[in-house]
Amino acid sequence: MTDLLRPRAMGRSPRRVEGPAKVTGTAPYASDQPVHDPVHAWLVQAEVARGVVTSVDTGRALAEEGVLTVLTPDNAPRLASTEDAELAALQSHDVDFRGQVLAVVVARTPETARHAASLVRVVVEQRPHDVRLSGDRADLYAPEQVNGGFETDTAEGDLAAGLAQAAHVVDRTYTTAWYNNNPLEPHATTAVWSDENLLLYDSTQGVHTTREAVAETFGLSPERVHVISPHVGGGFGAKGTAHVHAILAAMAARALPDVPVKLALTRQQMYSLVGYRTPTIQRVRLGGSADGRLTALAVDAIGQTSRFKEFAEQTAVPARTMYAAPHRRTTHRLAALDVPVPAWMRAPGECPGMFGPEVAMDELAIACGLDPVEFRVRNEPEVEPESGKPFSSRNLVACLREGARRFGWSHRDPTPGARQESGWRVGTGVAASTYPVNRSPGSEANIRFTAPGRYRVEIGAADIGTGTWTSLAQIAADALGVDHGDVELRIGDTRLPKASVAGGSSGITSWGSTVVAAARAFREKFGDRPDDGDETCVAMPESSASDDYAMHAFGAQFAEVRVHVDTGEVRVPRLLGVFAVGRVVNPRLARSQLVGGMTMGLSMALHEHSLLDERFGHVVNHDLAEYHIATNSDVPDVEAHWIEEHDPHTNPMGTKGIGEIGIVGTAAAIVNAAHHATGIRVRDLPLTLDHFVR
Amino acid sequence: MIPFDYRRAADVEGAVAEAARTGAAFLAGGTNLVDRMKLGVSAPEVLVDINRLPLDGVEELPGGGLRVGATVRNSDLAAHPVVRRDYPLLSRALLSGASGQLRTLATTGGNLLQRTRCLYFQDTSTPCNKREPGSGCSAIDGHNRQHAILGASEHCVAVHPSDMAVAMAALDATVLVHGPGGPRTVPLTDLHRLPGDEPHRDTVLSAADLITAVDLPPLPRGTRSLYRKVRDRASYAFALVSVALVLHVDDDVVRDVRIALGGVAHKPWRARRAEGVLRGRPVSADVFLEAAEAELADARPLSGNAFKVPLARNVIVSALRDLAWEER
Ligand SMILES: Cc1cc2nc3c(=O)[nH]c(=O)nc-3n(C[C@H](O)[C@H](O)[C@H](O)COP(=O)(O)OP(=O)(O)OC[C@H]3O[C@@H](n4cnc5c(N)ncnc54)[C@H](O)[C@@H]3O)c2cc1C
Ligand code: SF4
């Protein structure tokens, strides 16, 4: 058990400290950083999904006034490491996916660079490509492990027997679509290379992560790479690992020593260069006894990866945690395709992986004649089903009950299609949410006292819009026993002590634990009356809690859905979530994370859908006019609440991570509500009107 | 950079002469043209800015009706008191289009002449007959959820994206054009073409034809109207199907009816067959259905938009129903 911090600043809701800078446009984002006389890079991308570059003619581009250089697979310098194939920019003549970068043009203005890029003639000998994901491909394979380091397959008991015993069986296939991360701020890097030192202003979820990737790729020692990223306009995972544009910016900067090179991706380019969420095909089998207890539970998940680099979404992993069942199995299979490499998108694994199972739970509840809240309560496990570990805390039932109370669930007539109001069929639905408590190793924090009474807390953490600037300072204040205002936090720079990536909702757990350890060490060393300049730097302490406990956040989401009788239009007038996420450091910021996650879940349920054109091999609705994300009018009323939860095991703050759980389960709750409204069961997202119009 | 010239027109004749001489494109709000230039879909060598021309007025016409200048902003037109009073469906249609920011820039002329949102038209890495005649149509066997069910050809199945034009089609509006040969008028329903084997030609206008205004005839007393748009999200999306309806019912008999559909064809689609079925008939659910089905009898849905047929039918029927039986 950890020594829990006494909350004074934690639990309050100070506003974002960087808010005024952001709303007045003075907060420097990666592409806004003032650099002297920058030049601009523009990318040339492959227009076929597979092939070999046979020639590149840069003559016309170079002849344009203002063009400084054009890098191609023919002339690009060799990189020290091509281990990460995604970062092996211009190292080979092979084309592995449509949109792959085949050249980069650097010019004095972005307009010139863009025009010159259109003049580069790349001849590609096209090869047949294969981008079609389907469940019946003969070449589906089992990856060694899946994202997060989880086992690919698990099994317990005898699934066939469990299903045979069941009074009711659900055996259905559910699909989630291809989704693209669309943070408001497109990826951007400004690079300056001087004297074998590389400075990068990058939009990243982790300055040190970017530094490591770039240093390794160029064979530099990490100290020579300086990454600065004070503000990030969203990432949702797409800025959690370095992508090829950062390498290209650095490569261009190396070709033009001492000259700042700016490379900002367009929205369209993001659809092939910064990762995305794989589409998934999930076969879910559930067996239920006559009294509504699961006898069997199986999730077989299929996703895609690129052929040149593997990414295996851990879609079936949440099923290992959620419900008790004696006979069970989970599997993951992948199709390796000529597509860009998928990557993290808010709650990889949990987000798609709680869609199929939570809809199937609704289907089985109905088959068993049970209320879906009650049905879930009945299948609460005593310990984590597959690991057998006790939960450090698990309050799914409390969330379901509190959510049902707040939502007015008890008045619900379970009959599908029973309610109609002025031309709209009305229904309600529920689904559960879960997200693991992740802790990433490797952070360090430095605390320095400056008289008369300020504490400078330094850690290379990231604020990707989540509120780190504010909440991490609150934690530091409580750890030091001082006011929030006496803490001067510094983050977003590799000159600061090393920090782990803002990913897996692990930021506050990891950086917070580190800051608390540093504060405790500081007080131990210097007492309550330190001298000017006293400082101490410590690394994140080890924790064995995860050996002994299963640590997860839980939640329950309730949706009201209206489906228009004539048009089939689907609206979600009300969405309510109740979460058990440990201690909430800053309620204002936490609510914004949870409401944001739920909104993104609603958007996934109703709208989002990257349209792959199999003939060409790329996503053709690659902009925000055509890739629909929920608008304000789609989201009239989203409420997020949490229950008091004290978990002494997760970390000294007692927190669990709130950045991702909000998106988990939302789509299932909405699909379940749509079924209640209409009697039509949709198993393939998105829930567009064509499912309902008759 | 890609060079282009920019000229500001001083008067209508000058603008037309400039366009006739140089093949210039007229620049109004720029919300569509500039986007296309950035995407590489359009590359005019000269832009003639028409924003300073005296075409930004809305005037009541002596014999009734309204003349809407070509550079009147969509937001101003939607908010105009006479439009809101006499042509509420037009106001509705305008407000259902794009976003507040876009409507503040978008103009009457530009809205009519905005080009299709077909994904392939906007993506220069794919074939498209409209963008590059003879290159092929990527949508016919591709993603065509948004595309046409009526009046398409084997060469192009795109739809016209405007909401405003659909309302104007139901209003029997007239487009005032000033071309190299002087002024002329074109009925709004004849402005846009069906694709046929020349899908690159959206309209009957030539490049140097400047739209100067749109005339809206008065609606007879006792008519009611509505504009209804069905789309994939609650706001900021193009129509899957929209309907503009002008209806005059007297003694439970349809005296006059004008129906225009959006999102179903290469042009705002006047549903003349449905109108023919309805005119002179007593209002009834059966007649409404008969009318809708008559109109859609020739619908040819594509691989991804079969739902548009029942959707259009339901939207027509429910619009008729709602207007016919609306409380007076
Ligand atoms: C994201 C997005 C969503 C949108 N959603 C909708 C929607 O839901 N519904 C809808 O109806 N519209 C929608 N629009 C389109 C918008 O309505 C049009 O872009 C706008 O109306 C165009 O007007 P403009 O004045 O900016 O035209 P411009 O871009 O200036 O011009 C468009 C074309 O018309 C020509 N032109 C302009 N004026 C004249 C004239 N007087 N005479 C001759 N030629 C002329 C130009 O040369 C150009 O080819 C959307 C646009 C965007 C970007
Ligand atoms: S539908 Fe028309 S605009 Fe679209 S690809 Fe085909 S030809 Fe081009």
Side-chain angles (χ1 to χ4, degrees):
Chain A
M1 200 178 307
T2 45
D3 190 1
L4 273 189
L5 213 57
R6 208 159 57 82
R8 286 174 58 246
M10 287 194 298
R12 292 175 191 258
S13 286
R15 292 173 190 278
R16 290 171 195 273
V17 297
E18 80 289 7
K22 281 185 176 167
V23 298
T24 54
T26 54
Y29 287 84
S31 208
D32 312 330
Q33 294 275 2
V35 287
H36 183 65
D37 220 358
V39 299
H40 302 267
W42 204 271
L43 309 178
V44 178
Q45 292 176 280
E47 293 192 351
V48 302
R50 197 170 179 201
V52 177
V53 175
T54 52
S55 76
V56 187
D57 178 359
T58 58
R60 281 180 65 207
L62 285 166
E64 281 287 304
E65 167 139 7
V67 172
L68 302 169
T69 185
V70 181
L71 298 171
T72 72
D74 293 335
N75 67 2
R78 296 301 92 187
L79 293 167
S81 166
T82 53
E83 186 125 328
D84 183 342
E86 186 188 353
L87 302 183
L90 307 175
Q91 298 300 290
S92 131
H93 288 72
D94 292 343
V95 175
D96 294 321
F97 63 99
R98 189 172 176 121
Q100 180 180 322
V101 178
L102 299 184
V104 54
V105 177
V106 188
R108 297 221 173 273
T109 69
E111 292 83 1
T112 307
R114 186 174 196 163
H115 176 51
S118 73
L119 302 177
V120 175
R121 286 218 14 99
V122 185
V123 181
V124 180
E125 192 184 300
Q126 192 168 355
R127 303 270 155 87
H129 66 256
D130 179 359
V131 297
R132 200 172 73 84
L133 176 65
S134 81
D136 50 21
R137 289 181 68 105
D139 59 353
L140 296 175
Y141 74 97
E144 294 239 313
Q145 57 172 31
V146 293
N147 181 50
F150 296 100
E151 277 179 86
T152 303
D153 295 349
T154 59
E156 226 178 275
D158 180 345
L159 183 67
L163 289 167
Q165 291 162 19
H168 307 280
V169 171
V170 169
D171 179 354
R172 292 288 186 183
T173 298
Y174 305 85
T175 64
T176 59
W178 175 322
Y179 306 109
N180 278 87
N181 312 48
N182 271 294
L184 205 51
E185 179 204 20
H187 296 57
T189 308
T190 302
V192 195
W193 197 300
S194 31
D195 301 335
E196 285 310 293
N197 288 310
L198 175 61
L199 170 63
L200 295 176
Y201 296 105
D202 192 32
S203 184
T204 172
Q205 292 175 226
V207 284
H208 289 93
T209 330
T210 298
R211 175 171 82 171
E212 268 153 45
V214 173
E216 158 126 18
T217 305
F218 285 95
L220 297 169
S221 71
E223 308 79 69
R224 291 193 169 276
V225 181
H226 182 189
V227 182
I228 298 177
S229 182
H231 304 291
V232 180
F236 308 112
K239 296 171 183 170
T241 51
H243 297 294
V244 74
H245 63 279
I247 305 301
L248 289 160
M251 202 183 251
R254 184 151 80 169
L256 300 162
D258 300 320
V259 180
V261 177
K262 286 192 168 195
L263 174 52
L265 295 189
T266 63
R267 183 66 57 185
Q268 284 90 344
Q269 289 169 343
M270 287 170 64
Y271 280 77
S272 44
L273 295 177
V274 300
Y276 60 94
R277 196 195 300 287
T278 172
T280 71
I281 301 168
Q282 314 169 15
R283 180 179 181 198
V284 181
R285 281 171 287 175
L286 299 178
S289 65
D291 66 344
R293 281 175 216 282
L294 290 171
T295 58
L297 181 164
V299 178
D300 298 303
I302 296 168
Q304 75 187 32
T305 179
S306 66
R307 226 189 272 283
F308 65 96
K309 174 181 175 179
E310 184 182 277
F311 179 85
E313 180 106 4
Q314 71 274 35
T315 310
V317 165
R320 299 173 186 170
T321 297
M322 283 306 294
Y323 301 110
H327 305 288
R328 47 200 309 141
R329 87 170 203 172
T330 61
T331 67
H332 294 90
R333 295 294 177 270
L334 287 179
L337 305 175
D338 301 310
V339 292
V341 61
W344 300 337
M345 180 163 171
R346 202 173 199 167
E350 278 71 21
C351 172
M354 287 287 279
F355 175 66
E358 286 298 305
V359 177
M361 285 294 280
D362 200 63
E363 300 202 49
L364 188 57
I366 293 170
C368 294
L370 279 173
D371 176 80
V373 169
E374 189 50 40
F375 180 59
R376 286 177 172 79
V377 172
R378 244 176 236 197
N379 287 289
E380 236 339 68
E382 307 228 319
V383 294
E384 187 176 41
E386 299 211 355
S387 71
K389 290 179 197 170
F391 288 99
S392 63
S393 57
R394 173 171 168 128
N395 281 301
L396 173 58
V397 171
C399 292
L400 285 163
R401 297 251 189 260
E402 174 65 5
R405 185 187 71 76
R406 287 182 178 268
F407 192 74
W409 186 260
S410 59
H411 312 298
R412 181 180 191 258
D413 171 356
T415 322
R419 224 172 115 199
Q420 194 168 316
E421 285 172 20
S422 39
W424 295 86
R425 299 187 210 283
V426 185
T428 53
V430 64
S433 312
T434 186
Y435 198 79
V437 179
N438 290 321
R439 185 182 173 99
S440 314
S443 292
E444 293 167 12
N446 188 66
I447 297 185
R448 179 190 174 94
F449 179 72
T450 46
R454 290 192 54 85
Y455 292 83
R456 190 194 292 161
V457 177
E458 299 179 322
I459 178 167
D463 189 331
I464 56 173
T466 41
T468 313
W469 278 110
T470 312
S471 54
L472 194 54
Q474 288 175 264
I475 292 170
D478 283 354
L480 287 161
V482 301
D483 285 344
H484 185 218
D486 292 336
V487 174
E488 180 196 334
L489 182 71
R490 296 195 175 178
I491 61 172
D493 193 321
T494 49
R495 293 261 161 94
L496 303 170
K498 194 166 174 246
S500 54
V501 69
S505 299
S506 69
I508 286 298
T509 290
S510 315
W511 312 324
S513 301
T514 312
V515 165
V516 171
R520 286 177 176 163
F522 183 92
R523 286 289 182 233
E524 208 156 283
K525 204 160 162 192
F526 304 113
D528 285 343
R529 292 172 194 286
D531 291 325
D532 191 32
D534 281 349
E535 71 182 309
T536 189
C537 185
V538 309
M540 184 171 80
E542 303 263 309
S543 163
S544 60
S546 62
D547 297 340
D548 305 329
Y549 295 99
M551 298 191 287
H552 302 268
F554 291 92
Q557 301 202 29
F558 293 78
E560 177 181 322
V561 165
R562 297 185 171 230
V563 179
H564 198 272
V565 175
D566 296 321
T567 64
E569 287 162 289
V570 184
R571 299 280 186 266
V572 182
R574 212 152 59 95
L575 199 55
L576 184 145
V578 176
F579 301 91
V581 288
R583 178 183 302 290
V584 169
V585 174
N586 181 318
R588 183 199 308 274
L589 296 170
R591 184 161 284 118
S592 141
Q593 283 304 299
L594 295 169
V595 166
M598 293 167 72
T599 303
M600 204 162 160
L602 180 154
S603 188
M604 163 188 178
L606 300 190
H607 311 298
E608 292 189 42
H609 189 186
S610 305
L611 299 173
L612 174 75
D613 191 311
E614 290 175 4
R615 299 165 301 172
F616 306 117
H618 71 305
V619 169
V620 286
N621 58 336
H622 46 199
D623 61 46
L624 293 181
E626 308 300 335
Y627 181 96
H628 283 179
I629 293 174
T631 64
N632 284 339
S633 1
D634 293 296
V635 192
D637 183 5
V638 179
E639 273 182 49
H641 303 275
W642 47 85
I643 58 158
E644 284 289 312
E645 184 175 64
H646 296 280
D647 190 322
H649 302 292
T650 55
N651 57 52
M653 296 80 65
T655 61
K656 281 187 169 177
I658 49 170
E660 291 167 272
I661 190 168
I663 197 178
V664 179
T666 324
I670 290 171
V671 160
N672 295 342
H675 173 264
H676 184 227
T678 61
I680 296 169
R681 178 64 71 181
V682 176
R683 301 187 182 86
D684 305 293
L685 291 178
L687 196 62
T688 41
L689 57 79
D690 34 312
H691 290 290
F692 302 102
V693 68
R694 292 284 189 272
Chain B
M1 62 179 212
I2 304 173
F4 61 86
D5 256 350
Y6 169 89
R7 317 256 160 89
R8 185 175 283 153
D11 50 37
V12 167
E13 284 76 13
V16 172
E18 180 73 47
R21 199 167 52 79
T22 60
F26 298 118
L27 176 70
T31 59
N32 183 242
L33 178 58
V34 175
D35 263 12
R36 275 189 270 123
M37 290 170 70
K38 288 187 184 166
L39 292 170
V41 172
S42 304
E45 283 172 22
V46 181
L47 290 183
V48 174
D49 186 341
I50 59 168
N51 284 286
R52 300 274 176 96
L53 298 184
L55 301 175
D56 60 349
V58 179
E59 299 160 41
E60 294 190 64
L61 294 170
L66 207 60
R67 173 160 298 173
V68 180
T71 60
V72 173
R73 307 290 152 175
N74 285 180
S75 48
D76 293 337
L77 187 58
H80 196 280
V82 177
V83 173
R84 293 178 52 176
R85 188 191 64 208
D86 295 345
Y87 307 97
L89 81 166
L90 177 58
S91 194
R92 277 282 168 127
L94 284 159
L95 292 176
S96 74
S99 65
Q101 293 93 323
L102 286 160
R103 293 193 297 268
T104 308
L105 276 173
T107 63
T108 312
N111 191 314
L112 287 176
L113 298 186
Q114 62 173 304
R115 307 206 63 190
T116 184
R117 308 297 297 199
C118 171
L119 297 170
Y120 305 97
F121 174 72
Q122 301 197 82
D123 183 339
T124 56
S125 75
T126 61
C128 165
N129 285 329
K130 186 181 275 300
R131 184 168 29 76
E132 239 182 278
S135 63
C137 170
S138 295
I140 287 178
D141 296 315
H143 290 289
N144 50 34
R145 176 180 174 76
Q146 293 284 342
H147 288 67
I149 53 172
L150 290 166
S153 75
E154 60 184 314
H155 304 289
C156 179
V157 292
V159 295
H160 192 259
S162 169
D163 291 296
M164 182 193 80
V166 178
M168 287 180 170
L171 289 170
D172 278 329
T174 302
V175 182
L176 279 62
V177 177
H178 197 112
R184 67 183 197 276
T185 61
V186 181
L188 191 130
T189 49
D190 294 344
L191 177 70
H192 298 92
R193 301 176 62 257
L194 289 177
D197 53 10
E198 287 184 311
H200 58 285
R201 290 179 56 211
D202 291 355
T203 68
V204 298
L205 302 186
S206 74
D209 281 335
L210 179 73
I211 294 179
T212 54
V214 175
D215 280 358
L216 307 176
L219 284 182
R221 281 177 65 87
T223 43
R224 299 186 207 145
S225 69
L226 64 67
Y227 184 76
R228 190 166 287 166
K229 176 175 180 181
V230 180
R231 48 185 148 178
D232 267 334
R233 56 183 170 187
S235 141
Y236 202 35
F238 293 93
L240 290 168
V241 170
S242 69
V243 61
L245 173 61
V246 174
L247 183 66
H248 186 189
V249 175
D250 196 25
D251 257 352
D252 284 340
V253 171
V254 176
R255 302 293 171 196
D256 189 18
V257 58
R258 285 175 262 159
I259 305 173
L261 301 175
V264 296
H266 198 252
K267 59 185 291 186
W269 186 265
R270 260 304 277 273
R272 305 224 186 250
R273 278 200 205 167
E275 294 172 11
V277 170
L278 290 162
R279 211 163 277 126
R281 300 275 294 277
V283 293
S284 84
D286 289 345
V287 173
F288 297 161
L289 186 61
E290 185 189 328
E293 285 183 340
E295 191 62 48
L296 295 164
D298 287 345
R300 292 283 170 273
L302 303 160
S303 54
N305 68 3
F307 69 93
K308 278 194 178 184
V309 179
L311 180 60
R313 181 198 63 212
N314 293 357
V315 170
I316 296 170
V317 170
S318 68
L320 286 164
R321 187 186 64 207
D322 291 356
L323 270 197
W325 289 309
E326 186 185 62
E327 289 300 316
R328 267 161 220 243

